[in-house]
Amino acid sequence: MSVTKTLFGKMPGGEEVHLYTITNRSGASASILDYGATWQSMRVPNRAGELVDVVLGYDTLEEYRKHTMFLGSTVGRVANRIGKSRFTLNGVEYKVFANDFENCCHGGREGFDKKIWKAEAEEDAVAFSLFSPDGDENFPGSLSVMVVYSLTEDNMLSIRYFAVTDADTIVNLTNHAYFNLAGQGSGTILDQTLQVEADFATRIDSHILPTGEIVPVAGGPLDFRKAKPIGQDIESTLENMGFSHGYDHNFVLSHREGGMERASTAADPVGGIVMDTITDQPGVQLFTPTDFTGMRGKGGIEYGPRPGFCLETQHFADAMSHPDFPSIVLHAGEIYSTETVYAFRVE
């Protein structure tokens, strides 16, 4: 196992951005930028033994700074949407930046995805740390965050998240990787299959905000209890999928609270790469972007329509508006700690 560090680019002010690559003995590797603690690539073997990069991304820092789709980024303080860009904590209302119509999404104007993190490499891991001061994006409390990426010899990438605050605040961290298990830039993911360990999902409205209802998935387009092609029901208009132009839905995972258990399994039937998502989070957001035509990824490849899917493990969107949802409040002195593992194998 080894970790290498290379210069990836420079910010307009001259600050250097580096790429850290963790490689195991079989040659599989994960590359992460200190800009946004961004998962830039994941190379794993397919059925033919060829190493395939299954994570969408860019070759240059300029492209990461220019585009706004959060490719591979660590997003926070609060992933997903905050309805009407406001929340109340301890009797005080906070107004945050609206960057998704009237809602705040993935941290606001300049979230964690746009920060340069401090990095420390170990033998099989890289730890990224960030300090978010009180009032950053108008969130209360100073927050110290660490995200640790580690790779195993059997091609499991662990992402561990830690945070502490000096005053009550809200936190919901996730990674926004887009996956294509046939390889980034290899076409659509419509024929790739997905199974999700969830009997229920949070219903969304026309603004892709939770209504507060937790509804059964049985028999509808959100029913991934048994593996099916991602594209099978992607054009459905049920469960407001017409507004989200596919999937942008949170699944309520069936596993025990706080336990590290398998949340989903995705597979490419052609190349044979399978990805299990294992997490202690209560939910996973399935997102299938409509069309990345005009967006060129690594190697200059135009991504085109339906080029990837996201499985964002997290607490539920707009949790502060719904007291019955798992809480995203982090109290002063508490430790925020969560882990998600993306385990790659071949069938």
Side-chain angles (χ1 to χ4, degrees), residues 39-67:
W39 189 4
Q40 192 260 355
S41 76
M42 185 76 202
R43 297 183 181 276
V44 292
N46 63 11
R47 193 181 292 125
E50 304 163 329
L51 287 175
V52 177
D53 186 356
V54 297
V55 169
L56 276 62
Y58 304 111
D59 286 326
T60 68
L61 175 61
E62 289 73 24
E63 289 167 303
Y64 278 104
R65 295 184 63 247
K66 173 184 174 182
H67 295 294

PDB file of all heavy atoms in Angstrom, residues 39-67:
ATOM      1  N   TRP A  39     -13.246  13.256  -4.025  1.00  0.00           N
ATOM      2  CA  TRP A  39     -12.911  11.927  -4.546  1.00  0.00           C
ATOM      3  C   TRP A  39     -12.840  12.061  -6.069  1.00  0.00           C
ATOM      4  O   TRP A  39     -13.836  12.117  -6.757  1.00  0.00           O
ATOM      5  CB  TRP A  39     -13.999  10.961  -4.111  1.00  0.00           C
ATOM      6  CG  TRP A  39     -13.732   9.511  -4.371  1.00  0.00           C
ATOM      7  CD1 TRP A  39     -12.608   8.932  -4.872  1.00  0.00           C
ATOM      8  CD2 TRP A  39     -14.649   8.438  -4.107  1.00  0.00           C
ATOM      9  NE1 TRP A  39     -12.764   7.572  -4.949  1.00  0.00           N
ATOM     10  CE2 TRP A  39     -13.993   7.241  -4.486  1.00  0.00           C
ATOM     11  CE3 TRP A  39     -15.945   8.367  -3.601  1.00  0.00           C
ATOM     12  CZ2 TRP A  39     -14.620   5.996  -4.364  1.00  0.00           C
ATOM     13  CZ3 TRP A  39     -16.558   7.135  -3.482  1.00  0.00           C
ATOM     14  CH2 TRP A  39     -15.900   5.957  -3.856  1.00  0.00           C
ATOM     15  N   GLN A  40     -11.613  12.076  -6.592  1.00  0.00           N
ATOM     16  CA  GLN A  40     -11.411  12.395  -8.005  1.00  0.00           C
ATOM     17  C   GLN A  40     -11.422  11.174  -8.908  1.00  0.00           C
ATOM     18  O   GLN A  40     -11.813  11.255 -10.075  1.00  0.00           O
ATOM     19  CB  GLN A  40     -10.094  13.162  -8.164  1.00  0.00           C
ATOM     20  CG  GLN A  40      -9.886  13.806  -9.518  1.00  0.00           C
ATOM     21  CD  GLN A  40      -8.959  12.986 -10.422  1.00  0.00           C
ATOM     22  OE1 GLN A  40      -8.394  11.962 -10.001  1.00  0.00           O
ATOM     23  NE2 GLN A  40      -8.789  13.437 -11.659  1.00  0.00           N
ATOM     24  N   SER A  41     -10.979  10.015  -8.395  1.00  0.00           N
ATOM     25  CA  SER A  41     -11.016   8.804  -9.215  1.00  0.00           C
ATOM     26  C   SER A  41     -11.012   7.561  -8.331  1.00  0.00           C
ATOM     27  O   SER A  41     -10.597   7.604  -7.173  1.00  0.00           O
ATOM     28  CB  SER A  41      -9.833   8.746 -10.197  1.00  0.00           C
ATOM     29  OG  SER A  41      -8.645   8.390  -9.518  1.00  0.00           O
ATOM     30  N   MET A  42     -11.494   6.465  -8.901  1.00  0.00           N
ATOM     31  CA  MET A  42     -11.461   5.159  -8.235  1.00  0.00           C
ATOM     32  C   MET A  42     -11.242   4.113  -9.311  1.00  0.00           C
ATOM     33  O   MET A  42     -12.106   3.874 -10.157  1.00  0.00           O
ATOM     34  CB  MET A  42     -12.784   4.884  -7.499  1.00  0.00           C
ATOM     35  CG  MET A  42     -12.767   3.605  -6.695  1.00  0.00           C
ATOM     36  SD  MET A  42     -11.813   3.798  -5.165  1.00  0.00           S
ATOM     37  CE  MET A  42     -11.396   2.092  -4.811  1.00  0.00           C
ATOM     38  N   ARG A  43     -10.056   3.520  -9.297  1.00  0.00           N
ATOM     39  CA  ARG A  43      -9.708   2.512 -10.307  1.00  0.00           C
ATOM     40  C   ARG A  43      -9.763   1.129  -9.688  1.00  0.00           C
ATOM     41  O   ARG A  43      -9.028   0.836  -8.735  1.00  0.00           O
ATOM     42  CB  ARG A  43      -8.317   2.797 -10.882  1.00  0.00           C
ATOM     43  CG  ARG A  43      -8.233   4.129 -11.606  1.00  0.00           C
ATOM     44  CD  ARG A  43      -6.856   4.364 -12.228  1.00  0.00           C
ATOM     45  NE  ARG A  43      -6.791   5.650 -12.905  1.00  0.00           N
ATOM     46  CZ  ARG A  43      -7.205   5.869 -14.148  1.00  0.00           C
ATOM     47  NH1 ARG A  43      -7.688   4.853 -14.853  1.00  0.00           N
ATOM     48  NH2 ARG A  43      -7.139   7.069 -14.685  1.00  0.00           N
ATOM     49  N   VAL A  44     -10.657   0.301 -10.231  1.00  0.00           N
ATOM     50  CA  VAL A  44     -10.845  -1.060  -9.723  1.00  0.00           C
ATOM     51  C   VAL A  44     -10.933  -2.014 -10.908  1.00  0.00           C
ATOM     52  O   VAL A  44     -11.279  -1.610 -12.028  1.00  0.00           O
ATOM     53  CB  VAL A  44     -12.119  -1.166  -8.860  1.00  0.00           C
ATOM     54  CG1 VAL A  44     -11.962  -0.385  -7.558  1.00  0.00           C
ATOM     55  CG2 VAL A  44     -13.351  -0.689  -9.617  1.00  0.00           C
ATOM     56  N   PRO A  45     -10.616  -3.303 -10.704  1.00  0.00           N
ATOM     57  CA  PRO A  45     -10.635  -4.241 -11.832  1.00  0.00           C
ATOM     58  C   PRO A  45     -12.041  -4.667 -12.229  1.00  0.00           C
ATOM     59  O   PRO A  45     -12.924  -4.834 -11.388  1.00  0.00           O
ATOM     60  CB  PRO A  45      -9.834  -5.436 -11.290  1.00  0.00           C
ATOM     61  CG  PRO A  45      -9.993  -5.369  -9.805  1.00  0.00           C
ATOM     62  CD  PRO A  45     -10.086  -3.920  -9.479  1.00  0.00           C
ATOM     63  N   ASN A  46     -12.241  -4.840 -13.543  1.00  0.00           N
ATOM     64  CA  ASN A  46     -13.487  -5.432 -14.027  1.00  0.00           C
ATOM     65  C   ASN A  46     -13.294  -6.936 -14.214  1.00  0.00           C
ATOM     66  O   ASN A  46     -12.266  -7.503 -13.828  1.00  0.00           O
ATOM     67  CB  ASN A  46     -13.957  -4.743 -15.316  1.00  0.00           C
ATOM     68  CG  ASN A  46     -12.978  -4.919 -16.470  1.00  0.00           C
ATOM     69  OD1 ASN A  46     -12.029  -5.718 -16.404  1.00  0.00           O
ATOM     70  ND2 ASN A  46     -13.190  -4.169 -17.543  1.00  0.00           N
ATOM     71  N   ARG A  47     -14.271  -7.585 -14.846  1.00  0.00           N
ATOM     72  CA  ARG A  47     -14.233  -9.036 -14.995  1.00  0.00           C
ATOM     73  C   ARG A  47     -13.035  -9.493 -15.827  1.00  0.00           C
ATOM     74  O   ARG A  47     -12.492 -10.583 -15.620  1.00  0.00           O
ATOM     75  CB  ARG A  47     -15.540  -9.518 -15.632  1.00  0.00           C
ATOM     76  CG  ARG A  47     -15.749 -11.031 -15.559  1.00  0.00           C
ATOM     77  CD  ARG A  47     -17.054 -11.438 -16.233  1.00  0.00           C
ATOM     78  NE  ARG A  47     -18.214 -10.969 -15.501  1.00  0.00           N
ATOM     79  CZ  ARG A  47     -19.181 -10.223 -16.026  1.00  0.00           C
ATOM     80  NH1 ARG A  47     -19.103  -9.817 -17.291  1.00  0.00           N
ATOM     81  NH2 ARG A  47     -20.227  -9.863 -15.294  1.00  0.00           N
ATOM     82  N   ALA A  48     -12.577  -8.641 -16.738  1.00  0.00           N
ATOM     83  CA  ALA A  48     -11.432  -8.981 -17.583  1.00  0.00           C
ATOM     84  C   ALA A  48     -10.099  -8.665 -16.910  1.00  0.00           C
ATOM     85  O   ALA A  48      -9.039  -8.893 -17.501  1.00  0.00           O
ATOM     86  CB  ALA A  48     -11.539  -8.244 -18.917  1.00  0.00           C
ATOM     87  N   GLY A  49     -10.147  -8.117 -15.695  1.00  0.00           N
ATOM     88  CA  GLY A  49      -8.924  -7.778 -14.986  1.00  0.00           C
ATOM     89  C   GLY A  49      -8.382  -6.403 -15.332  1.00  0.00           C
ATOM     90  O   GLY A  49      -7.307  -6.024 -14.858  1.00  0.00           O
ATOM     91  N   GLU A  50      -9.116  -5.644 -16.153  1.00  0.00           N
ATOM     92  CA  GLU A  50      -8.691  -4.291 -16.524  1.00  0.00           C
ATOM     93  C   GLU A  50      -9.080  -3.311 -15.422  1.00  0.00           C
ATOM     94  O   GLU A  50     -10.181  -3.406 -14.864  1.00  0.00           O
ATOM     95  CB  GLU A  50      -9.368  -3.873 -17.833  1.00  0.00           C
ATOM     96  CG  GLU A  50      -9.122  -4.822 -18.995  1.00  0.00           C
ATOM     97  CD  GLU A  50     -10.118  -4.624 -20.123  1.00  0.00           C
ATOM     98  OE1 GLU A  50     -11.277  -4.241 -19.851  1.00  0.00           O
ATOM     99  OE2 GLU A  50      -9.726  -4.879 -21.289  1.00  0.00           O
ATOM    100  N   LEU A  51      -8.184  -2.384 -15.125  1.00  0.00           N
ATOM    101  CA  LEU A  51      -8.503  -1.356 -14.144  1.00  0.00           C
ATOM    102  C   LEU A  51      -9.381  -0.290 -14.786  1.00  0.00           C
ATOM    103  O   LEU A  51      -9.048   0.264 -15.839  1.00  0.00           O
ATOM    104  CB  LEU A  51      -7.232  -0.721 -13.597  1.00  0.00           C
ATOM    105  CG  LEU A  51      -6.408  -1.593 -12.636  1.00  0.00           C
ATOM    106  CD1 LEU A  51      -5.116  -0.899 -12.272  1.00  0.00           C
ATOM    107  CD2 LEU A  51      -7.220  -1.938 -11.384  1.00  0.00           C
ATOM    108  N   VAL A  52     -10.530  -0.019 -14.159  1.00  0.00           N
ATOM    109  CA  VAL A  52     -11.539   0.892 -14.694  1.00  0.00           C
ATOM    110  C   VAL A  52     -11.788   1.994 -13.676  1.00  0.00           C
ATOM    111  O   VAL A  52     -11.975   1.723 -12.484  1.00  0.00           O
ATOM    112  CB  VAL A  52     -12.857   0.132 -14.982  1.00  0.00           C
ATOM    113  CG1 VAL A  52     -13.934   1.088 -15.457  1.00  0.00           C
ATOM    114  CG2 VAL A  52     -12.624  -0.969 -16.007  1.00  0.00           C
ATOM    115  N   ASP A  53     -11.791   3.239 -14.136  1.00  0.00           N
ATOM    116  CA  ASP A  53     -12.090   4.379 -13.269  1.00  0.00           C
ATOM    117  C   ASP A  53     -13.607   4.560 -13.231  1.00  0.00           C
ATOM    118  O   ASP A  53     -14.224   4.944 -14.226  1.00  0.00           O
ATOM    119  CB  ASP A  53     -11.408   5.639 -13.806  1.00  0.00           C
ATOM    120  CG  ASP A  53     -11.556   6.843 -12.881  1.00  0.00           C
ATOM    121  OD1 ASP A  53     -12.246   6.734 -11.852  1.00  0.00           O
ATOM    122  OD2 ASP A  53     -10.979   7.899 -13.198  1.00  0.00           O
ATOM    123  N   VAL A  54     -14.222   4.308 -12.071  1.00  0.00           N
ATOM    124  CA  VAL A  54     -15.681   4.270 -11.974  1.00  0.00           C
ATOM    125  C   VAL A  54     -16.277   5.545 -11.371  1.00  0.00           C
ATOM    126  O   VAL A  54     -17.488   5.607 -11.122  1.00  0.00           O
ATOM    127  CB  VAL A  54     -16.144   3.048 -11.160  1.00  0.00           C
ATOM    128  CG1 VAL A  54     -15.741   1.758 -11.856  1.00  0.00           C
ATOM    129  CG2 VAL A  54     -15.614   3.089  -9.726  1.00  0.00           C
ATOM    130  N   VAL A  55     -15.458   6.574 -11.133  1.00  0.00           N
ATOM    131  CA  VAL A  55     -15.935   7.828 -10.543  1.00  0.00           C
ATOM    132  C   VAL A  55     -15.777   8.968 -11.550  1.00  0.00           C
ATOM    133  O   VAL A  55     -14.692   9.160 -12.104  1.00  0.00           O
ATOM    134  CB  VAL A  55     -15.160   8.149  -9.249  1.00  0.00           C
ATOM    135  CG1 VAL A  55     -15.447   9.568  -8.769  1.00  0.00           C
ATOM    136  CG2 VAL A  55     -15.524   7.152  -8.155  1.00  0.00           C
ATOM    137  N   LEU A  56     -16.839   9.713 -11.801  1.00  0.00           N
ATOM    138  CA  LEU A  56     -16.788  10.849 -12.710  1.00  0.00           C
ATOM    139  C   LEU A  56     -15.972  11.984 -12.086  1.00  0.00           C
ATOM    140  O   LEU A  56     -15.982  12.168 -10.861  1.00  0.00           O
ATOM    141  CB  LEU A  56     -18.189  11.360 -13.024  1.00  0.00           C
ATOM    142  CG  LEU A  56     -18.966  10.655 -14.154  1.00  0.00           C
ATOM    143  CD1 LEU A  56     -19.213   9.181 -13.842  1.00  0.00           C
ATOM    144  CD2 LEU A  56     -20.292  11.369 -14.420  1.00  0.00           C
ATOM    145  N   GLY A  57     -15.269  12.728 -12.930  1.00  0.00           N
ATOM    146  CA  GLY A  57     -14.464  13.829 -12.424  1.00  0.00           C
ATOM    147  C   GLY A  57     -13.794  14.587 -13.549  1.00  0.00           C
ATOM    148  O   GLY A  57     -14.085  14.383 -14.735  1.00  0.00           O
ATOM    149  N   TYR A  58     -12.856  15.457 -13.160  1.00  0.00           N
ATOM    150  CA  TYR A  58     -12.159  16.316 -14.110  1.00  0.00           C
ATOM    151  C   TYR A  58     -10.651  16.138 -13.992  1.00  0.00           C
ATOM    152  O   TYR A  58     -10.135  15.665 -12.976  1.00  0.00           O
ATOM    153  CB  TYR A  58     -12.504  17.784 -13.850  1.00  0.00           C
ATOM    154  CG  TYR A  58     -13.973  18.096 -13.886  1.00  0.00           C
ATOM    155  CD1 TYR A  58     -14.647  18.455 -12.718  1.00  0.00           C
ATOM    156  CD2 TYR A  58     -14.701  18.046 -15.070  1.00  0.00           C
ATOM    157  CE1 TYR A  58     -16.007  18.761 -12.739  1.00  0.00           C
ATOM    158  CE2 TYR A  58     -16.049  18.339 -15.099  1.00  0.00           C
ATOM    159  CZ  TYR A  58     -16.695  18.698 -13.927  1.00  0.00           C
ATOM    160  OH  TYR A  58     -18.033  18.988 -13.953  1.00  0.00           O
ATOM    161  N   ASP A  59      -9.969  16.592 -15.022  1.00  0.00           N
ATOM    162  CA  ASP A  59      -8.504  16.530 -15.063  1.00  0.00           C
ATOM    163  C   ASP A  59      -7.846  17.787 -14.523  1.00  0.00           C
ATOM    164  O   ASP A  59      -6.641  17.793 -14.269  1.00  0.00           O
ATOM    165  CB  ASP A  59      -8.021  16.312 -16.504  1.00  0.00           C
ATOM    166  CG  ASP A  59      -8.261  14.891 -16.996  1.00  0.00           C
ATOM    167  OD1 ASP A  59      -8.168  13.961 -16.175  1.00  0.00           O
ATOM    168  OD2 ASP A  59      -8.540  14.729 -18.191  1.00  0.00           O
ATOM    169  N   THR A  60      -8.611  18.882 -14.378  1.00  0.00           N
ATOM    170  CA  THR A  60      -7.997  20.140 -13.986  1.00  0.00           C
ATOM    171  C   THR A  60      -8.765  20.799 -12.846  1.00  0.00           C
ATOM    172  O   THR A  60      -9.995  20.623 -12.704  1.00  0.00           O
ATOM    173  CB  THR A  60      -7.941  21.138 -15.160  1.00  0.00           C
ATOM    174  OG1 THR A  60      -9.274  21.550 -15.492  1.00  0.00           O
ATOM    175  CG2 THR A  60      -7.276  20.519 -16.374  1.00  0.00           C
ATOM    176  N   LEU A  61      -8.041  21.586 -12.066  1.00  0.00           N
ATOM    177  CA  LEU A  61      -8.653  22.346 -10.978  1.00  0.00           C
ATOM    178  C   LEU A  61      -9.643  23.360 -11.526  1.00  0.00           C
ATOM    179  O   LEU A  61     -10.709  23.595 -10.917  1.00  0.00           O
ATOM    180  CB  LEU A  61      -7.556  23.048 -10.171  1.00  0.00           C
ATOM    181  CG  LEU A  61      -8.011  23.978  -9.055  1.00  0.00           C
ATOM    182  CD1 LEU A  61      -8.813  23.223  -7.998  1.00  0.00           C
ATOM    183  CD2 LEU A  61      -6.816  24.688  -8.428  1.00  0.00           C
ATOM    184  N   GLU A  62      -9.319  23.958 -12.671  1.00  0.00           N
ATOM    185  CA  GLU A  62     -10.202  24.968 -13.248  1.00  0.00           C
ATOM    186  C   GLU A  62     -11.595  24.405 -13.500  1.00  0.00           C
ATOM    187  O   GLU A  62     -12.604  25.094 -13.279  1.00  0.00           O
ATOM    188  CB  GLU A  62      -9.608  25.507 -14.553  1.00  0.00           C
ATOM    189  CG  GLU A  62      -8.370  26.382 -14.384  1.00  0.00           C
ATOM    190  CD  GLU A  62      -7.124  25.581 -13.995  1.00  0.00           C
ATOM    191  OE1 GLU A  62      -7.069  24.358 -14.275  1.00  0.00           O
ATOM    192  OE2 GLU A  62      -6.210  26.189 -13.397  1.00  0.00           O
ATOM    193  N   GLU A  63     -11.646  23.159 -13.967  1.00  0.00           N
ATOM    194  CA  GLU A  63     -12.954  22.554 -14.225  1.00  0.00           C
ATOM    195  C   GLU A  63     -13.719  22.302 -12.928  1.00  0.00           C
ATOM    196  O   GLU A  63     -14.940  22.485 -12.871  1.00  0.00           O
ATOM    197  CB  GLU A  63     -12.771  21.259 -15.012  1.00  0.00           C
ATOM    198  CG  GLU A  63     -12.342  21.496 -16.451  1.00  0.00           C
ATOM    199  CD  GLU A  63     -11.860  20.225 -17.126  1.00  0.00           C
ATOM    200  OE1 GLU A  63     -10.915  19.585 -16.626  1.00  0.00           O
ATOM    201  OE2 GLU A  63     -12.450  19.876 -18.163  1.00  0.00           O
ATOM    202  N   TYR A  64     -13.032  21.879 -11.888  1.00  0.00           N
ATOM    203  CA  TYR A  64     -13.708  21.693 -10.598  1.00  0.00           C
ATOM    204  C   TYR A  64     -14.237  23.021 -10.068  1.00  0.00           C
ATOM    205  O   TYR A  64     -15.320  23.078  -9.472  1.00  0.00           O
ATOM    206  CB  TYR A  64     -12.769  21.055  -9.578  1.00  0.00           C
ATOM    207  CG  TYR A  64     -12.668  19.552  -9.704  1.00  0.00           C
ATOM    208  CD1 TYR A  64     -11.556  18.945 -10.286  1.00  0.00           C
ATOM    209  CD2 TYR A  64     -13.696  18.727  -9.251  1.00  0.00           C
ATOM    210  CE1 TYR A  64     -11.467  17.572 -10.413  1.00  0.00           C
ATOM    211  CE2 TYR A  64     -13.624  17.350  -9.378  1.00  0.00           C
ATOM    212  CZ  TYR A  64     -12.503  16.772  -9.955  1.00  0.00           C
ATOM    213  OH  TYR A  64     -12.439  15.412 -10.085  1.00  0.00           O
ATOM    214  N   ARG A  65     -13.490  24.093 -10.262  1.00  0.00           N
ATOM    215  CA  ARG A  65     -13.920  25.398  -9.773  1.00  0.00           C
ATOM    216  C   ARG A  65     -15.066  25.970 -10.619  1.00  0.00           C
ATOM    217  O   ARG A  65     -15.934  26.674 -10.110  1.00  0.00           O
ATOM    218  CB  ARG A  65     -12.746  26.381  -9.757  1.00  0.00           C
ATOM    219  CG  ARG A  65     -11.635  26.000  -8.787  1.00  0.00           C
ATOM    220  CD  ARG A  65     -10.522  27.040  -8.730  1.00  0.00           C
ATOM    221  NE  ARG A  65     -11.039  28.310  -8.243  1.00  0.00           N
ATOM    222  CZ  ARG A  65     -11.129  29.425  -8.956  1.00  0.00           C
ATOM    223  NH1 ARG A  65     -10.713  29.437 -10.225  1.00  0.00           N
ATOM    224  NH2 ARG A  65     -11.605  30.526  -8.431  1.00  0.00           N
ATOM    225  N   LYS A  66     -15.068  25.629 -11.890  1.00  0.00           N
ATOM    226  CA  LYS A  66     -16.059  26.188 -12.806  1.00  0.00           C
ATOM    227  C   LYS A  66     -17.419  25.531 -12.660  1.00  0.00           C
ATOM    228  O   LYS A  66     -18.454  26.209 -12.671  1.00  0.00           O
ATOM    229  CB  LYS A  66     -15.551  26.023 -14.248  1.00  0.00           C
ATOM    230  CG  LYS A  66     -16.552  26.402 -15.333  1.00  0.00           C
ATOM    231  CD  LYS A  66     -15.974  26.105 -16.709  1.00  0.00           C
ATOM    232  CE  LYS A  66     -16.994  26.338 -17.802  1.00  0.00           C
ATOM    233  NZ  LYS A  66     -16.450  25.997 -19.154  1.00  0.00           N
ATOM    234  N   HIS A  67     -17.458  24.226 -12.538  1.00  0.00           N
ATOM    235  CA  HIS A  67     -18.720  23.494 -12.565  1.00  0.00           C
ATOM    236  C   HIS A  67     -19.329  23.404 -11.169  1.00  0.00           C
ATOM    237  O   HIS A  67     -18.629  23.475 -10.159  1.00  0.00           O
ATOM    238  CB  HIS A  67     -18.518  22.108 -13.165  1.00  0.00           C
ATOM    239  CG  HIS A  67     -18.116  22.133 -14.612  1.00  0.00           C
ATOM    240  ND1 HIS A  67     -18.954  22.587 -15.600  1.00  0.00           N
ATOM    241  CD2 HIS A  67     -16.956  21.781 -15.229  1.00  0.00           C
ATOM    242  CE1 HIS A  67     -18.343  22.504 -16.768  1.00  0.00           C
ATOM    243  NE2 HIS A  67     -17.130  22.020 -16.574  1.00  0.00           N
TER     244      HIS A  67
END
